[in-house]
């Protein structure tokens, strides 16, 4: 749950908004990573498998990109 607190802080600064405009929902299956609701009511979600391999690989390889299926860092 500590990670959710950090994500609220991150979203607050990235989107220059107040914390009361950020809603936190816990998805038990951990498939929904983020959702953004736009003014017109549309919602865009980022979905993915519940593991941290891809984000960690991205962070380790940056600014390069790893090819899908690459196990260079994993």
């Amino acid at each position: 749950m500590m990670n959710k607190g950090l994500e609220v802080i991150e979203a607050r600064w990235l989107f220059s908004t107040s914390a009361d405009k950020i809603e936190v929902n816990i998805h038990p299956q951990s498939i929904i990573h983020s959702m953004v609701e736009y003014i017109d009511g549309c919602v865009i979600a980022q979905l993915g498998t519940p593991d941290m391999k891809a984000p960690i690989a991205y962070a380790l390889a940056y600014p390069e990109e790893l090819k899908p299926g690459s196990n260079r860092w994993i």
Side-chain angles (χ1 to χ4, degrees), residues 1-22:
M1 296 298 172
M2 183 64 186
N3 187 45
K4 291 299 168 204
L6 295 173
E7 289 172 352
V8 169
I9 294 168
E10 177 183 30
R12 186 249 181 268
W13 288 103
L14 282 175
F15 299 106
S16 299
T17 189
S18 60
D20 62 331
K21 293 194 179 235
I22 300 169

Side-chain angles (χ1 to χ4, degrees), residues 33 46 48-61 66 70 73-74:
H33 296 293
Q46 177 193 11
T49 56
D51 71 43
M52 292 298 293
K53 289 180 183 175
I56 291 169
Y58 176 80
L60 291 172
L66 296 178
S70 171
W73 297 102
I74 301 173

